[in-house]
Amino acid sequence: MNILGINAYHANARQVGAQLSFDTRFLGLGPNLRGLHLEVEMAGRREELHADSVVGAHGASPVARTAGWPPIDIRGSAAFFSGVCLAEAGHEVICSDIDSERIAQLQASRMPIFEPHLDRILAAARNSGRISFTADAGEAIRGGEAIFICVGTPPKESGDADLSAIDHVARQIATEARTPKLVIEKSTVPARTGIELRRALTAYTRNGNLNFRVASNPEFLREGTAVEDFFHPDRIVVGVDEESSAADLREIYRPILEHRFHCPVHEGKCPPGHEGKFLVTTINSAELIKHASNSFLALKISYANVIADLCEKIGADVEEVTYAMGLDPRIGAQFLRAGLGFGGFCFPKDIQAFIHLAASVGVDFDILKAAERVNKQRIDRYHEKISKALWVIKGKRLAMLGLAFKANTDDIRFAPALEVLKRLLSEGAQVHASDPEAIAKTKSMFPQALYHEDPYEALRDADAALVCTEWECFRTLDWERAGKLMARKLVIDGRNLYRPQHMRELGFEYYSFGRD
Ligand code: UDX
């Protein structure tokens, strides 16, 4: 890796930093780590607990530091990805979290989540001393001139985003800072949060001479491809109200913009033609861009799902329809996959927050409400398919292939598969589930189900196979072999992974979405 080149650039750079946070929850009676979130469910009441974390980037490299460069610092979950990737890009990064157990885990180089490539680059960054972890947020805050806030912004009951973690971090920054800071929102926040953040920083500080600049730098990383997305972004959006803030952010991202890194995904052979745009906007626009993008993608998925329903009624094939639609560059091929719908910690909460934001300023965003409704109905539609195929669910042995909300992650937050699992268990089915990464997290929530690392073991003696996550290993499953193990050759595919004709040729009774 061209560390010296990166150092040289940093030797001239202003010192900047970022603050990110892990959003931590508890579920059930004991601690149940679900990614970086903890939920507490007691006496039927569910509460979300949030823990701040800080990922701090210090200067550029050991070389730059010995040259006397003060550190930078950073703070989240996608933020954790960014922090590790910034270290890989040549920065020096400190991560801090008020969950000292989590910090201890990271200090021991244990990955809290599964994300392709991340373990490798985290180990490399730790070995080279470019990343470290601390429970002392003050230390990280004081160390840098710029701080990225990436705390969780979960939906409140009203659908509005809960910004209490941002407020908490603002107070921490304002009280711990001894020098001027560039404070950058990385969390997904409703538009106009930047204005409130600036106000909070000014209100909470005891030093009226301290200047806090505020900027917005929304995160577009997808789970499962976060590392690739970080190093090959379509766009890096920075919302600023001062030119110097844009200049600082450009410096942070310069290694990416100038392709001055050793790509951990493509091992130096990155596909050509991927030039990410560095976009400078107002803070309000940057905040809106993130919500507008995620909500549009969610809308696109729901649109494809309604087309699938229509296809079923009319006798058309949704794959044929969406494929042809996607060839039109004005529409684009991505996010038109029909099936069980969207889950995860971003789309469901972001769409709700956007609906709420629009309503709060008197703008009618009913199309988003419809997209949300369609998505919730996907589980009903799938359950109907299962009930229709099986007649009676109680007592049936069912193989569930996939638990995570999407492939290549162990994240089960708002995973459609879990909704399906919950209903089947409540109706007395015996569920044998398999997932390459998400078993551990699901097991503690649903101990009644049986879990198998090997999907063929889940399929043994099953009355039906239910495909709930689009993992490649399920797409390429040997159904001839599976068919010999199953009690009944029935597949109900929630992700349209297989060709109906092929499955029928193999002797399966096969149901999917929007296809005969
Ligand atoms: C999303 C955004 O894509 C990313 O830019 C943002 O930073 C965070 O939120 P992520 O939550 O990782 O990323 O998942 P994504 O790949 O967008 O998929 C979301 C859900 O939609 C998954 O449950 C997936 O299975 C589902 N999906 C996706 C479909 O049902 N059909 C599709 O065509 C695409």
Side-chain angles (χ1 to χ4, degrees):
M1 187 158 45
N2 184 9
I3 289 194
L4 271 178
I6 293 162
N7 294 346
Y9 127 67
H10 266 282
N12 294 320
R14 274 189 66 136
Q15 295 308 306
V16 287
Q19 178 167 324
L20 319 175
S21 138
F22 304 133
D23 178 6
T24 314
R25 302 180 180 191
F26 246 85
L27 187 73
L29 298 172
N32 169 26
L33 290 180
R34 297 168 57 196
L36 298 168
H37 295 249
L38 291 173
E39 283 173 16
V40 188
E41 194 166 87
M42 278 180 292
R45 213 169 126 232
R46 188 161 151 161
E47 289 199 8
E48 294 180 353
L49 301 181
H50 306 286
D52 297 324
S53 69
V54 177
V55 181
H58 273 303
S61 73
V63 178
R65 241 182 339 151
T66 48
W69 290 95
I72 323 177
D73 72 47
I74 302 180
R75 279 187 177 221
S77 156
F80 174 60
F81 302 156
S82 308
V84 177
C85 290
L86 278 170
E88 174 69 18
H91 294 280
E92 206 171 289
V93 177
I94 302 179
C95 307
S96 163
D97 194 298
I98 53 175
D99 179 353
S100 48
E101 234 173 82
R102 173 55 47 81
I103 288 297
Q105 194 183 2
L106 287 163
Q107 278 167 340
S109 292
R110 286 203 307 275
M111 279 288 289
I113 46 168
F114 169 75
E115 179 65 37
H117 309 292
L118 205 66
D119 51 349
R120 195 161 38 85
I121 61 174
L122 176 61
R126 278 189 65 79
N127 287 340
S128 66
R130 287 193 311 276
I131 198 161
S132 59
F133 300 92
T134 172
D136 183 356
E139 181 196 333
I141 291 166
R142 285 189 299 276
E145 283 181 34
I147 300 168
F148 286 74
I149 301 179
C150 299
V151 293
T153 52
K156 293 196 279 198
E157 229 152 71
S158 61
D160 193 9
D162 180 353
L163 300 177
S164 55
I166 298 222
D167 180 57
H168 175 72
V169 166
R171 190 184 289 274
Q172 269 188 320
I173 296 169
T175 45
E176 296 287 351
R178 302 287 176 268
T179 52
K181 307 283 174 197
L182 171 61
V183 181
I184 305 145
E185 306 163 341
K186 199 125 187 79
S187 312
T188 302
V189 291
R192 306 180 70 78
T193 301
I195 296 168
E196 294 300 330
L197 176 62
R198 189 187 297 103
R199 214 154 61 96
L201 288 164
T202 313
Y204 296 147
T205 184
R206 289 180 215 125
N207 179 352
N209 296 327
L210 266 191
N211 176 33
F212 293 106
R213 286 175 298 149
V214 170
S216 167
N217 174 217
E219 189 56 80
F220 301 106
L221 304 184
R222 292 163 299 174
E223 290 182 39
T225 52
V227 176
E228 184 168 358
D229 293 348
F230 183 89
F231 286 100
H232 304 287
D234 302 315
R235 76 283 208 208
I236 295 170
V237 175
V238 300
V240 297
D241 54 9
E242 289 182 42
E243 245 171 58
S244 63
S245 310
D248 286 347
L249 279 156
R250 189 184 282 277
E251 292 303 321
I252 295 178
Y253 286 109
R254 191 182 293 279
I256 310 302
L257 293 166
E258 295 182 357
H259 212 92
R260 291 215 234 143
F261 57 84
H262 178 83
C263 179
V265 180
H266 304 108
E267 298 298 337
K269 294 191 192 99
C270 302
H274 204 107
E275 300 297 323
K277 272 207 164 81
F278 187 80
L279 288 180
V280 181
T281 69
T282 63
I283 296 177
N284 277 346
S285 294
E287 290 167 338
L288 211 63
I289 286 166
K290 176 63 195 271
H291 266 144
S293 302
N294 272 7
S295 296
F296 185 77
L297 292 172
L299 190 67
K300 213 173 162 192
I301 297 169
S302 280
Y303 187 88
N305 280 325
V306 177
I307 298 289
D309 290 349
L310 206 55
C311 285
E312 281 178 27
K313 299 279 180 204
I314 286 171
D317 183 322
V318 71
E319 302 298 327
E320 290 175 357
V321 176
T322 51
Y323 175 72
M325 283 169 65
L327 291 177
D328 182 335
R330 293 170 302 171
I331 298 174
Q334 293 187 50
F335 283 70
L336 285 176
R337 279 193 336 265
L340 266 171
F342 58 81
F345 199 60
C346 288
F347 284 0
K349 92 173 159 64
D350 289 356
I351 202 169
Q352 271 186 33
F354 211 34
I355 291 168
H356 196 274
L357 173 80
S360 72
V361 292
V363 171
D364 178 354
F365 222 150
D366 268 3
I367 46 171
L368 281 190
K369 287 189 198 154
E372 196 187 24
R373 196 176 58 241
V374 166
N375 197 56
K376 285 193 178 134
Q377 287 166 352
R378 301 321 290 164
I379 311 294
D380 302 333
R381 298 275 299 104
Y382 192 57
H383 197 77
E384 279 161 28
K385 285 178 194 290
I386 299 169
S387 301
K388 204 168 151 196
L390 285 172
W391 181 40
V392 172
I393 288 179
K394 190 173 177 182
K396 294 282 159 61
R397 181 176 169 142
L398 305 177
M400 183 171 228
L401 302 183
L403 297 164
F405 86 94
K406 64 184 242 188
N408 299 319
T409 177
D410 60 351
D411 195 342
I412 53 170
R413 290 173 294 167
F414 300 103
L418 296 204
E419 274 306 309
V420 175
L421 176 60
K422 194 161 84 184
R423 286 202 201 179
L424 293 173
L425 289 172
S426 73
E427 289 191 29
Q430 194 194 1
V431 182
H432 291 251
S434 183
D435 187 288
E437 295 293 337
I439 290 178
K441 285 179 179 168
T442 313
K443 216 179 213 169
S444 44
M445 282 178 77
F446 294 101
Q448 320 89 298
L450 294 129
Y451 298 91
H452 307 267
E453 299 286 340
D454 181 351
Y456 296 100
E457 283 310 309
L459 287 159
R460 190 179 292 282
D461 299 325
D463 290 304
L466 313 176
V467 183
C468 295
T469 310
E470 59 274 34
W471 283 96
E472 193 54 31
C473 59
F474 298 149
R475 198 185 297 279
T476 55
L477 205 89
D478 178 349
W479 282 103
E480 238 177 301
R481 176 180 166 199
K484 288 184 190 134
L485 296 169
M486 294 174 71
R488 177 177 168 187
K489 288 174 81 172
L490 167 63
V491 175
I492 307 166
D493 180 359
R495 295 290 179 185
N496 285 5
L497 294 193
Y498 317 108
R499 282 188 297 115
Q501 198 190 332
H502 177 64
M503 292 304 279
R504 284 179 196 131
E505 279 165 11
L506 292 175
F508 281 92
E509 201 182 331
Y510 176 76
Y511 303 100
S512 57
F513 280 99
R515 309 180 299 173
D516 255 339

